[in-house]
Amino acid sequence: MPPEDQDLGSSEPATVTATPIAAEALPFTKARRIYDMGAHMAPLLHKRAEDTLDYFISLERFLEEGEEVTGARGSLCPQTTIPLIMHRLEFAPRGVLVWLTAGAHNERYEVHVLVETSWGKEKLYRFNIITRGRADFELPEPPITVTIEPIPFGVGMAGEGEIPDEEGEGQLTLSRASLNFGELVEGELSLTQTFFARNTGTAPINLYSITVDGDYIVSSDSTGRIMPGEEVTVSVAFAPSRVGTRNGTVTIDGAQVGTVALLGSAIADPTALPDASVDDGILTDEDITASVDDGILSEDDITASVGDGEVGEGVAAPSLTPAALELTALLGESASKVATLANIGGDVLTIEEIAVSAGFTQTNDCGDSLAPGATCSITVTHTPAALGATDGTLEVTTDVGSVSSSVAGSGTAEETEPEEPVALLGPLSTSGNQFVDADGEPVRLRSVNWFGAESENNFPHGIWANGYKVIIDQIAAWGFNCVRVPFSGDTFRAGKVINGVTDEFAENFDFITGGEAPFYTYVTPFEALDLIIQYAATKGLYIVLDHHRRAAGAGADGSPIGGGYSQADWLATWASVADHYKDFPNVIGADVHNEPHDLDWNTWAGHAEACGAQIHAIAPHWIIFVEGVGSYDNDPYWWGGQLAGVATRPVVLTVANKLAYSPHEYGQSVGNQQWLRYDSNPSQPANYPANLYQVWTDHWGFIFEQNIAPIWIGEFGGKYGVDGSGNQTEPHGTYEKQWTTELGKYLAGDFTGSGSSSLPAGKLGASFAYWSLNPNSGDTGGLLQDDWSTPQAVKIDLLAPFLAQE
């Protein structure tokens, strides 16, 4: 979104000019780092009104080698009676520091920072901030000095002991369900074992403490917050203070709570001797007393005196191993594990009862008693009737006490062969402004974006909330015939696996390769997308793959090259992807890079041709989709939407009839543009929405109107007045619905708004890809509500005319 066309609010914003500082003066405050999220999403942060905080904007991914920041200007809106104040704005060669203070209670502000570089480029960063707190505090007098210290774990932040979660939802995922330290001699210290606490969600998670009970020691490298895609390491050591079973629990307490079970047992030092007293030189049964507290008899449990010089038979002592049994089976099938009961005492052990919790059964060969030193076997069986975990206990009751082991069962779904496609899907070509199939019949791509594989999840989002087949079924049921799947330059790197999958749905076990709930191991991104693409084919859905970012994350990075990601890296990524998917019948093309708004048209056209040649050397049947830039001939437009340069400098590929242009087109939810009407300015432009037709024609529509090539709008969408729960709480809904209705008419061939189509007989309208299926798109929301299940009825109704046209 170009800075020249952004209305920053209903009142005139104050502008702050940055002053230079040395690079070493920049603090490293991870929790308050701002990242560019592109034209459609902006970070949402929270601040106490009483606090003055620094927000660091890193430009590493934007700057080329040798390029530096040379200036910055910042502004805020709205300017309310209790404003948020940009106290200072500073820049270093590779980043910008924004100091914010004040703000009203429960007020939302938008922060804009326009950065200038030594290469003459400009970059607009924007983020939203909500302030809460007292309205009567005194503002600090400039100049202020704030020292940023590392935040110790467990210490509150943001003024009242916590930082509220940002927009989106964090997801605390622990890499282990339990740690088993085995046997250790009492009083010794074990080697350290570790697990990871990851945030697999889309917003930060605040942590307040990491505690442990039992004979264990815990430490962590956490700083009190886990950002999306990041993890902290938790280290645990076993230090048993007494003999016996010494289990414990690590508890991670914060905005979400997680626990890890700790299993261990202590044995007596084999070199130590039991204490004894000699009274009369004779040791008898009466001189020995024993108690069994924890199921294992040790020297600490025995006191002895010498009475008459003869050693008696002692007492019985039960031992049950292992400490935990894990049983995993397919639904309807059984898994069994064996536990061993031993009598490690000196007298006969009487067995009173052997029992297991509901969900498990047991058989044994123990009988009613065990002689000293004898053992018997207990076979525990689990036959899962439903997916997920079942926890329980195996307990043995004897005449001298009880011993137990934990039992954990889980049910998994049986893998099934993918269904055959319901219709034969295959490569498409282009003919004039039409996509055509192998028989020359026109095809209109009625598409939806399903993003997430470009993020740290390496996989389309929502699989944590629903089954992937359920999601695909819904897409097809709405009338879409194509899915745009974004990915990043990191997605398919060696060693990558997916994350953020729920096992609540049987079909999602297709993505699990091992482990126990909820800490499974997962398939690679290629393997995961294979399953999605194969199932999509059974529903008649084409797939277009989109190189959305150079590195995993959110937003658009403006160019396929930069930030340590070279042209060779970009081409190699596409070569790998094309080679993998060239024989998938429903994968029809490549959107070579998302929103290259940092490039001029001539440069970008050359890059697109090079990438198209690389892909066509491997998959010559694929369509190459080329997006627009951000500005052409001093005419800024939506990122990816400016295709006016095609008129004089078209893209030329090595394979004919395989090129389509893909603009991005947005409404009022995404930003302020002079050709759109808003609630705050309901009379301008005066001829809205009739003015839109010429805007579209000038920037990208002429390509379709003049029969140059097909148009596939790779992204369009909005909130249309509804929030993530379907409530009418968002602004500009009426005007945004008008914008979308008129866009539908234009794509169907009504190029002037006259009410009649200009398409020749047998021709279909321009193609499109709605942004997005996902409800976690910050600026537009999605076709699904925040529960990833309930459709957004307002949006589905608005899209009905789009989807009704073949």
Side-chain angles (χ1 to χ4, degrees):
M1 180 165 47
E4 293 86 349
D5 293 314
Q6 294 187 55
D7 174 12
L8 300 184
S10 56
S11 59
E12 187 67 23
T15 299
V16 178
T17 301
T19 56
I21 58 175
E24 55 269 21
L26 292 175
F28 184 74
T29 309
K30 229 174 176 184
R32 293 195 293 275
R33 284 199 155 207
I34 308 300
Y35 296 96
D36 180 27
M37 300 183 72
H40 333 307
M41 294 183 287
L44 177 63
L45 311 176
H46 297 258
K47 185 184 84 70
R48 292 294 302 176
E50 301 93 316
D51 293 340
T52 299
L53 298 178
D54 63 310
Y55 297 88
F56 177 59
I57 301 174
S58 173
L59 279 86
E60 288 294 341
R61 292 182 177 177
F62 171 67
L63 299 173
E64 303 291 343
E65 185 176 356
E67 185 181 14
E68 295 184 348
V69 179
T70 56
R73 301 190 306 274
S75 56
L76 300 162
C77 68
Q79 297 295 310
T80 64
T81 55
I82 305 178
L84 179 68
I85 296 175
M86 190 174 294
H87 211 296
R88 287 209 312 260
L89 185 63
E90 301 167 320
F91 69 89
R94 311 295 285 182
V96 175
L97 197 60
V98 185
W99 294 88
L100 299 176
T101 192
H105 177 62
N106 204 30
E107 180 68 78
R108 179 170 178 152
Y109 305 86
E110 188 165 312
V111 182
H112 289 239
V113 178
L114 182 63
V115 179
E116 303 164 349
T117 80
S118 57
W119 288 15
K121 294 192 298 185
E122 291 186 342
K123 179 79 166 179
L124 179 72
Y125 286 82
R126 63 190 183 96
F127 59 97
N128 300 303
I129 189 162
I130 292 176
T131 58
R132 294 185 175 91
R134 304 194 315 270
D136 59 348
F137 64 92
E138 294 184 4
L139 296 178
E141 293 295 330
I144 60 171
T145 300
V146 178
T147 302
I148 304 300
E149 299 290 346
I151 302 170
F153 186 81
V155 175
M157 301 166 67
E160 285 194 348
E162 67 176 275
I163 301 175
D165 277 348
E166 298 181 13
E167 191 171 44
E169 183 178 357
Q171 179 63 51
L172 181 64
T173 302
L174 305 182
S175 62
R176 298 287 298 274
S178 63
L179 300 175
N180 194 332
F181 291 84
E183 287 188 343
L184 188 69
V185 173
E186 174 193 10
E188 292 187 356
L189 181 66
S190 73
L191 296 176
T192 298
Q193 295 192 39
T194 61
F195 65 91
F196 302 102
R198 300 187 178 102
N199 183 353
T200 57
T202 57
I205 297 175
N206 303 318
L207 299 183
Y208 311 137
S209 65
I210 297 181
T211 58
V212 67
D213 58 19
D215 292 348
Y216 295 88
I217 301 169
V218 68
S219 62
S220 174
D221 62 358
S222 174
T223 59
R225 209 176 196 207
I226 312 178
M227 302 302 290
E230 294 186 352
E231 63 186 24
V232 299
T233 302
V234 182
S235 302
V236 186
F238 181 34
S241 62
R242 55 178 292 189
V243 172
T245 302
R246 311 301 297 157
N247 296 340
T249 304
V250 174
T251 301
I252 298 179
D253 184 18
Q256 297 180 24
V257 177
T259 60
V260 172
L262 306 176
L263 311 174
S265 61
I267 60 174
D269 185 346
T271 64
L273 297 174
D275 293 334
S277 62
V278 180
D279 292 330
D280 53 10
I282 300 174
L283 185 65
T284 67
D285 294 343
E286 288 75 23
D287 295 321
I288 300 175
T289 60
S291 64
V292 180
D293 296 326
D294 50 21
I296 301 177
L297 187 65
S298 73
E299 288 89 346
D300 288 343
D301 298 317
I302 301 175
T303 61
S305 62
V306 178
D308 54 11
E310 296 179 1
V311 179
E313 292 181 335
V315 296
S319 171
L320 184 63
T321 55
L325 301 173
E326 297 182 354
L327 307 98
T328 300
L330 296 173
L331 294 183
E333 298 186 9
S334 298
S336 299
K337 290 287 181 67
V338 176
T340 300
L341 177 65
N343 180 3
I344 61 174
D347 200 356
V348 174
L349 176 71
T350 300
I351 301 172
E352 297 178 353
E353 184 181 22
I354 299 177
V356 287
S357 301
F360 303 88
T361 59
Q362 66 84 21
T363 59
N364 66 83
D365 59 3
C366 296
D368 297 329
S369 62
L370 280 180
T375 63
C376 64
S377 298
I378 304 171
T379 302
V380 179
T381 302
H382 176 54
T383 305
L387 294 174
T390 303
D391 296 327
T393 304
L394 165 65
E395 185 171 12
V396 179
T397 304
T398 74
D399 59 336
V400 294
S402 298
V403 288
S404 64
S405 293
S406 65
V407 291
S410 60
T412 65
E414 186 172 6
E415 294 185 2
T416 57
E417 293 296 324
E419 300 177 44
E420 291 298 321
V422 296
L424 181 61
L425 299 174
L428 300 181
S429 296
T430 66
S431 176
N433 63 6
Q434 300 286 294
F435 294 107
V436 295
D437 63 17
D439 298 323
E441 293 296 320
V443 175
R444 191 183 194 200
L445 296 177
R446 307 181 307 275
S447 321
V448 67
N449 283 272
W450 185 7
F451 68 81
E454 82 289 356
S455 73
E456 295 286 352
N457 295 94
N458 302 313
F459 193 56
H461 286 170
I463 307 302
W464 56 73
N466 218 329
Y468 78 99
K469 292 181 180 179
V470 174
I471 294 175
I472 293 171
D473 289 347
Q474 182 66 83
I475 291 172
W478 280 327
F480 293 101
N481 66 356
C482 180
V483 181
R484 180 178 183 246
V485 180
F487 66 92
S488 81
D490 287 336
T491 302
F492 301 111
R493 290 185 188 276
K496 291 287 185 179
V497 294
I498 68 169
N499 61 83
V501 178
T502 178
D503 61 359
E504 182 179 352
F505 301 90
E507 63 205 48
N508 288 349
F509 277 87
D510 293 345
F511 306 120
I512 295 172
T513 60
E516 299 293 338
F519 306 100
Y520 299 107
T521 55
Y522 298 109
V523 299
T524 68
F526 268 138
E527 292 169 330
L529 278 178
D530 290 354
L531 292 168
I532 283 183
I533 292 172
Q534 288 166 351
Y535 185 73
T538 72
K539 300 301 176 181
L541 294 173
Y542 293 108
I543 301 293
V544 174
L545 299 169
D546 157 45
H547 186 275
H548 207 73
R549 294 178 50 80
R550 299 188 297 258
D557 46 23
S559 171
I561 300 166
Y565 190 75
S566 66
Q567 183 179 49
D569 293 328
W570 178 42
L571 299 183
T573 296
W574 269 120
S576 174
V577 172
D579 186 63
H580 187 89
Y581 287 115
K582 63 186 178 183
D583 296 325
F584 282 60
N586 59 326
V587 178
I588 58 168
D591 188 342
V592 291
H593 187 69
N594 179 66
E595 298 182 351
H597 56 86
D598 288 340
L599 303 177
D600 64 79
W601 173 252
N602 289 335
T603 301
W604 167 234
H607 286 332
E609 289 168 345
C611 189
Q614 173 73 80
I615 293 170
H616 277 159
I618 300 167
H621 53 290
W622 277 14
I623 302 289
I624 303 300
F625 295 88
V626 179
E627 298 187 23
V629 291
S631 181
Y632 179 78
D633 197 19
N634 295 317
D635 179 18
Y637 200 65
W638 295 114
W639 287 356
Q642 178 54 284
L643 283 162
V646 173
T648 56
R649 201 307 192 185
V651 172
V652 179
L653 299 177
T654 56
V655 179
N657 301 319
K658 293 294 181 180
L659 170 68
Y661 291 101
S662 180
H664 289 184
E665 179 66 36
Y666 278 101
Q668 288 83 345
S669 292
V670 172
N672 291 277
Q673 301 285 20
Q674 60 188 359
W675 55 86
L676 299 176
R677 183 178 290 183
Y678 299 83
D679 290 348
S680 57
N681 197 9
S683 61
Q684 297 296 325
N687 60 340
Y688 184 83
N691 65 307
L692 296 173
Y693 289 83
Q694 192 61 50
V695 172
W696 295 328
T697 294
D698 292 344
H699 291 98
W700 50 264
F702 71 92
I703 297 171
F704 190 85
E705 293 180 38
Q706 298 175 20
N707 207 38
I708 297 171
I711 283 290
W712 181 63
I713 297 186
E715 295 180 15
F716 82 99
K719 291 184 177 179
Y720 307 109
V722 298
D723 61 19
S725 300
N727 301 314
Q728 294 280 347
T729 61
E730 299 295 325
H732 318 306
T734 297
Y735 300 124
E736 194 164 43
K737 291 172 186 174
Q738 291 176 343
W739 164 77
T740 300
T741 298
E742 301 306 315
L743 179 62
K745 296 176 185 178
Y746 184 81
L747 295 182
D750 183 358
F751 301 136
T752 62
S754 65
S756 61
S757 174
S758 300
L759 290 177
K763 301 294 185 180
L764 300 180
S767 297
F768 57 86
Y770 183 81
W771 184 278
S772 63
L773 170 74
N774 305 48
N776 57 321
S777 175
D779 278 358
T780 66
L783 293 181
L784 294 173
Q785 293 185 14
D786 289 343
D787 61 6
W788 277 94
S789 179
T790 307
Q792 288 278 22
V794 169
K795 298 182 180 183
I796 298 301
D797 291 345
L798 197 61
L799 289 179
F802 291 75
L803 298 173
Q805 302 167 20
E806 291 297 326

